Amino acid sequence: MDPGAVVALALLLTRMYAPLTALATARVEVMSALVSFERVFEVLDLEPLVAEKPDARPVPAGPVSVEFDGARFSYPSADKVSLASLEEVANLDTRGGVEVLHDVSFRAEPGQTVALVGSSGAGKSTIAQLVPRLYDVDGGAVRLAGVDVRDLTAGSIRETLGMVTQDGHLFHDSIRSNLLLARPEAAEEELWDVLRRARLDDLVAALPDGLDTIVGERGYRLSGGERQRLTIARLLLAQPRVVILDEATAHLDSTSEAAVQAALGEALHGRTAVVIAHRLSTVQTADASW
Ligand SMILES: Nc1ncnc2c1ncn2[C@@H]1O[C@H](COP(=O)(O)OP(=O)(O)O)[C@@H](O)[C@H]1O
Ligand SMILES: [Mg+2]
């Protein structure tokens, strides 16, 4: 063989090795994919703790009141909400079952703003999670417009309620699509209108990509206050009949708190609202506090 043929042969041999080794590892990949599939299907097959009744009805039209009537609640223990296949590897927390809410009763009339003030760990966020029926109460009842939430359809509850939490969540997507989640058919002017009312229009207008700026986990970093005002803008766009604010201004400095406060004033106008705070400044304008 001449030198050229030897070099060519060596090169071709190495190129043959790569696919052969890939073929050898294919079995491992198929096996691990099967395991992952098992997990995925296990999650898909999971029975939700909260199920909609077959004869559930939508939230009645018109103004909505929020009512807690002797509500008792304890969080389900970890073994009730965890997956069987994960339990072998994880050491489950066996606590839980401790009653967090003991006989809670209050009422927010339609259009009224009710403040809920208490130290941390008192169960305020738990109350906020029971209104959209993320969990069911163990005793008593939670009612929207006088109807037990267990008799209402999940979709209509979601349409009725708007919530702003301490850490407003944004998806890794443009500002526009984050806003449109609230109302997909909203027009461009409406988006700018809610941004203006949330005191965020100047900031968005100054961004190089404007409404198409990608925000969220790996996108443009909005500050805590800006993120919160964006979730408020989303709330203004959705126009829910009931608004729940869970310590919406707790982590803000006084300048951004003033801006968020102004935006919240817009959000609460004419709506039934439950405002949760551990500082009284947030709730001074409330009609009643519990
Ligand atoms: N997901 C959960 N699972 C179990 N216990 C929880 C959970 N969330 C909160 N708790 C407990 O419920 C109690 C009330 O919490 P929370 O409603 O968050 O209080 P607050 O919002 O008033 O600070 C606390 O003792 C807390 O440890
Ligand atoms: Mg809380």
Side-chain angles (χ1 to χ4, degrees), residues 240-252:
R241 287 182 280 167
V242 179
V243 175
I244 298 175
L245 305 175
D246 187 1
E247 309 211 18
T249 56
H251 284 328
L252 304 182

Side-chain angles (χ1 to χ4, degrees), residues 118-124 247 278:
S119 52
S120 50
K124 305 184 297 296
E247 309 211 18
H278 61 243

